[in-house]
Amino acid sequence: MATVRDSVKKVSGNHIEFRPIQSQAGSGLHSRGSSFNGCCSIQKGVHGSLPHNKKVKVVFVLGGPGSGKGTQCANIVEHFGYTHLSAGDLLRAEIKSGSQNGIMIQRMIKEGKIVPPGVTIALLQRAIQETENDKFLIDGFPRNEENREAFERITGIQPDFVLFFDCTEEEMARRLLNRNQGREDDNIVTIRKRFNVFKESTLPVIEYYKSKGKVQKIDAVKPPNEVFEAVKAVFTGGKVKQRCNGLDKVNIPCYAWRMMFRRSIV
């Protein structure tokens, strides 16, 4: 049986690199029909929660392909100490493994379809268990209502909030066609299919969390630095950096800082 260490490798800072899980026979992740089983079964704790009573803070990061999620996740990791778990990176690692399931995943991505949730949830849960940090950005997941319901039921985790990067299809298509990462799904036909899947499958997830008051919507059309200013406001509770007497302070009246400063030099 594969262990967490077989599937997750911490490489630098709070970024996680995913490696494909291999079964005892070394044939990768098993599948039957539309779901995954075998070595991907998920260990449940009490009432389906994470074992060992690990309490975690999870933020789902959602947005259309090319909306800038990865760029902003890197910024959040650097400034706020979260660990970034990318569902897309996990799936691409399985494709690179050349396993049967990797071939199947590659075919589904080419067709603009959503991969069944079992393997993604298993690897995300194991990554959370393996990592010492207790704050996680889950990027590009849940992709649909099935993903959402399964993740919450199996892990027992409710997201603190959902960070939604809202961007026009025109801008996302421009970014995807220009980023030149050699990904097979970065062609205009597949891009249009991915946009349709996002609208049909992922927007209902965003609407679900919006009804619970958990969605933080970011205008992602703007340049990355301006987008991150909006992101920072979310993670600091809307606090705005002010400058008083040459000192950078956060959301405290300048008068208060002047009084504190005077007392410190008396």
Side-chain angles (χ1 to χ4, degrees):
M1 178 69 73
T3 66
V4 172
R5 289 176 177 80
D6 294 320
S7 61
V8 182
K9 177 183 178 184
K10 189 168 182 177
V11 287
S12 63
N14 288 330
H15 291 278
I16 297 290
E17 174 186 309
F18 294 93
R19 298 182 300 182
I21 295 178
Q22 297 297 320
S23 68
Q24 288 177 319
S27 58
L29 297 165
H30 297 291
S31 66
R32 180 183 298 164
S34 62
S35 62
F36 290 84
N37 55 24
C39 66
C40 290
S41 59
I42 301 172
Q43 277 193 327
K44 293 184 182 179
V46 179
H47 305 306
S49 60
L50 287 170
H52 312 306
N53 297 318
K54 182 172 183 178
K55 304 295 183 183
V56 298
K57 179 175 183 177
V58 166
V59 175
F60 287 149
V61 182
L62 297 176
S67 59
K69 299 186 300 294
T71 298
Q72 298 305 326
C73 281
N75 289 333
I76 295 166
V77 166
E78 180 181 354
H79 286 79
F80 298 104
Y82 279 72
T83 293
H84 178 205
L85 304 178
S86 169
D89 288 349
L90 182 157
L91 295 174
R92 283 186 285 275
E94 185 61 25
I95 291 172
K96 288 181 181 179
S97 76
S99 69
Q100 263 190 323
N101 288 292
I103 295 169
M104 182 271 292
I105 290 168
Q106 185 177 39
R107 183 174 64 250
M108 294 188 74
I109 290 175
K110 277 185 177 180
E111 295 172 359
K113 296 179 180 177
I114 292 177
V115 175
V119 63
T120 311
I121 294 173
L123 290 178
L124 287 172
Q125 187 182 34
R126 288 171 178 175
I128 290 171
Q129 292 169 1
E130 179 73 3
T131 307
E132 293 182 1
N133 199 358
D134 61 357
K135 301 189 298 183
F136 297 90
L137 301 172
I138 297 184
D139 170 11
F141 188 91
R143 298 282 300 276
N144 56 26
E145 277 289 281
E146 180 188 7
N147 286 180
R148 178 197 64 75
E149 187 279 330
F151 182 87
E152 293 183 358
R153 171 174 45 81
I154 293 169
T155 67
I157 296 173
Q158 292 278 341
D160 274 42
F161 61 90
V162 175
L163 197 60
F164 169 38
F165 289 98
D166 187 29
C167 193
T168 64
E169 289 190 7
E170 292 75 16
E171 176 61 18
M172 290 190 290
R174 185 189 67 79
R175 293 173 183 176
L176 291 171
L177 292 171
N178 289 340
R179 70 184 182 180
N180 193 27
Q181 291 183 354
R183 283 175 49 177
E184 293 186 32
D185 54 336
D186 283 351
N187 62 76
I188 192 61
V189 175
T190 302
I191 285 170
R192 295 300 177 192
K193 289 180 182 178
R194 292 169 67 195
F195 288 162
N196 289 335
V197 170
F198 176 77
K199 287 187 290 187
E200 293 171 6
S201 299
T202 308
L203 282 181
V205 175
I206 295 167
E207 288 301 316
Y208 171 84
Y209 285 117
K210 184 178 179 182
S211 71
K212 294 183 174 295
K214 287 192 170 187
V215 173
Q216 297 286 347
K217 183 177 176 180
I218 303 293
D219 181 357
V221 177
K222 297 178 180 179
N225 60 325
E226 293 183 29
V227 173
F228 188 54
E229 287 302 313
V231 170
K232 283 195 291 186
V234 170
F235 280 86
T236 56
K239 297 173 184 175
V240 179
K241 184 175 283 189
Q242 299 181 16
R243 192 167 181 85
C244 300
N245 289 339
L247 300 174
D248 286 327
K249 304 300 178 187
V250 178
N251 206 31
I252 297 179
C254 288
Y255 174 76
W257 279 110
R258 291 191 189 103
M259 295 303 295
M260 291 170 64
F261 182 74
R262 285 174 183 170
R263 290 192 190 110
S264 68
I265 61 175
V266 171

